[in-house]
Structure formats: C-alpha cells, structure tokens
Amino acid sequence: MTRPTYVYDLAALATHAAAVRAALPERVELLYAVKANPDPGMLRTLAATVDGFEAASRGELRHLAGVLPGRRVAAFAGPGKTDADLSAALAADVHRVHVESVAELHRLAALAWAAGRTVDVLLRVNLPVATPGAVLVMGGQASPFGMDPAEAVRLAADPPDGVRVRGVHAHLASGLDATTAAGVAREVTDWAVRRVRAEEVNVGGGMAVDYRRPEHRFDWPSYGRLLGEVSDAYPGVRLRIEPGRAVAVYCGSYVTEVIDVKRSHGQWFVIVAGGTHHLRTPAAKGHSQPYTVVPRGGDGPRTDGGPVSVVGQLCTPKDVLARDADSDPIAVGDLLVFGMAGAYAWNISHRDFLMHDPPDFTTGDPLAVARGWGR
Ligand SMILES: *Cc1c(COP(=O)(O)O)cnc(C)c1O
C-alpha cells in the first residue's frame, strides 16, 4: 500500500508559466497569487518567471520570506487586515498594499506615519462591471471585498498622510474566459484612470479553469493581445494581473490506490486511500475531479466498466472525488491519478477530519511516478 501522494510537475509548471509570461505584453506585470498553492518548490519554480508574488495574509508573507529570502513581496492583500498584519507589511517593505476599506486605509496611514514612512497603496474597488459566465463573483454587488467606487474617489482625492495612492486593484470574479477577463480589465482601467487618475491598475486573477474539460484552457495568447490593446489605450498606466488557479492547477496531481470496489443498489463505488480531506476541490466546487487509471494487473475484485463513483475513506457521504464517472474497469490495487490538483487542493483541505495520515509529496511526471510504484 502506497500512501496517497501529491505529485507536483515542476518542469511542466516552468513551461506553462513561461508560456503565460510570453503571451502577455512585456509591460504587463504578472504576479502569482500565493493562496492558490504555496508549495515551496512551486514558488521557487515560479520565481524565475513571474514579476512578483501576491500575499494575502501575514502567514503568506512569513512563508515567502522563508522560501524566497530577499525577494520583495509585490502585493499584500486580503480583507480583515489587523494592525499586526499591516505592520508586518510595512516591516517587509511590501511593494504595494491593497487596501480594502476606508477604515483600513486610515489605520495603515497612522501606522506608516508613526514609523516615519509613506506607503504605496492600491485601493481595492468594488466596481459594477458585468462578468458573464463567472463561477465566483466577488464584486459588482454587495460584498465584503473592496470599497465602493465613491469612497475610492474621495480617498484618492484627499489621502491621509502616510499613504500614497498609486491606483486601483480589482478582483471581481473568477472563471472568466479571455474575452470577458480582458473586457473587465478595460472597464476597470478606464474607470481607474478617469476617476482616481491611477498610475497603476491591478485587474486581479480569476482566469477560467474548466475541470469538466481539462484540455479546454484559458486562452492566454488572446488575453495577452487584448490586454496589450488596453495598455496601448492608457500608455502611462502600469497594468498588472495576479492569477493563481490558471497558473498552478495543471501542474499538480493526487495519486492514490484503490482499496475496495463494490456495487451498491445498482451503482459502482470505487473506494480509494485518502479522499476529500486531502483533495477537497471536488467537494468544494461540486465537480468530478478528472482522473486517469493506472492498472496494476491485480486479480482481485473489479468493476465492469460501467460508471463509478470514486469515494475516499471518510465516514461521510460528502467524501466524493468523482460521481458517475465513465471509466474502464477498475480493480482493487489500481492507481488513480487525479489531475488538476495543483491549486486550491491540499491547501484548502480539512486535513484533520478523521485523523487519517497526511499524503506524501513528490515531484515529477505523475504518470511516470505512478507507473514506477511497485505493488
Ligand atoms: C484569490 C485571489 C486571486 C487569484 O485568483 P485565481 O482565481 O486563483 O486566479 C487574485 N487576487 C485576489 C485578490 C484574490 O483574492
């Protein structure tokens, strides 16, 4: 029995990140949102390609300082920053603090002023921009994220001592295709330039990832071309993006072994080691996680090739990794290689529920790793 294992393909990540970078105009900055996956190997791999990292908590700031010592953090974000969080951002000399509310700006200004500093900020603005097809919507409606446009206009016109308002940050939705995301970028930039005379605009992340059609990927070349047009329209403005999921998701897999198969009231169940306490993504998003079967020639019980539900070891009916998935026959002892587990996977999982062992972690090509395992 091999422990469930996350396999991070760092070579594939380096290639993918380089392709994303190459698709964007040189003058557009690419940040990586650390919350998507803070794995140290991934961060070190991305460090060669991205222009910077976006930290969304004091913990992520500390983590970045440990993994990439000496590298200045590009952005510090997140709703509900305490004074300790803001002080940590000042101490780390973060390049831009993304401010989420009027009160937060005043607290940051007071801390900076007391330290004899002036801190550069972007105001996170909740703009009413249409985001057709979005999976999650963070803005354009009542939301805990960012401030209303009128508040941002007022703060930018008359900022308190201790802060310099450089521009606007907006992360309004996730699951956007290239055309929609670029349209949002244009609307945000247009507003930011006209209303707060922004020098910098960070249009956030949220590029679409399609778990049902893994080969259907965000169209980075089109997005890059359209962002180039936005950038051409506002030559004095520095544009910046901060994707997480669409950068990291394809470069992680969760490999696990089939413990049991059974038929229950006419349906096949495949029970694997581990489960959603290691890989919460399908439970959180309500999809079937795509997987590949690596047969190991066992002569034990097997399914008949009909649709299966793949479940884990937890004592809850919610521990489902894939539901009614079409599959070749699956036998006890086979390995399942779940793809698209490089972002919002292990790091969002309720790892202590039922107190099973944690997964192992390794790097490499996931199918090669799985085929290399003995029985
Ligand atoms: C989570 C987050 C991101 C990254 O979003 P993805 O969907 O992973 O691309 C970027 N910016 C902010 C402010 C976020 O909260």
Side-chain angles (χ1 to χ4, degrees), residues 33 35-36 54 56 77-78 98 100 124 138 169-171 173-175 202 204-207 242-246 343-344:
K35 83 168 191 278
E54 184 243 18
H98 294 172
E100 296 260 352
R124 181 169 183 181
M138 274 73 73
H169 169 238
H171 173 71
S174 84
N202 181 326
M207 292 70 182
E242 49 179 18
R245 191 186 304 270
Y344 305 103

Side-chain angles (χ1 to χ4, degrees), residues 13 28-29 39 41-42 55-56 71 75 93 107-108 118 133 135 152 177 183 185 219 294 322 339 342 346 351:
L13 179 64
V28 172
E29 290 179 13
D39 174 74
M42 282 201 167
R71 177 130 182 179
D93 192 27
R107 283 193 290 122
L108 176 62
T118 301
V135 177
D177 65 27
D219 185 352
V294 175
W346 165 241
R351 50 192 71 179

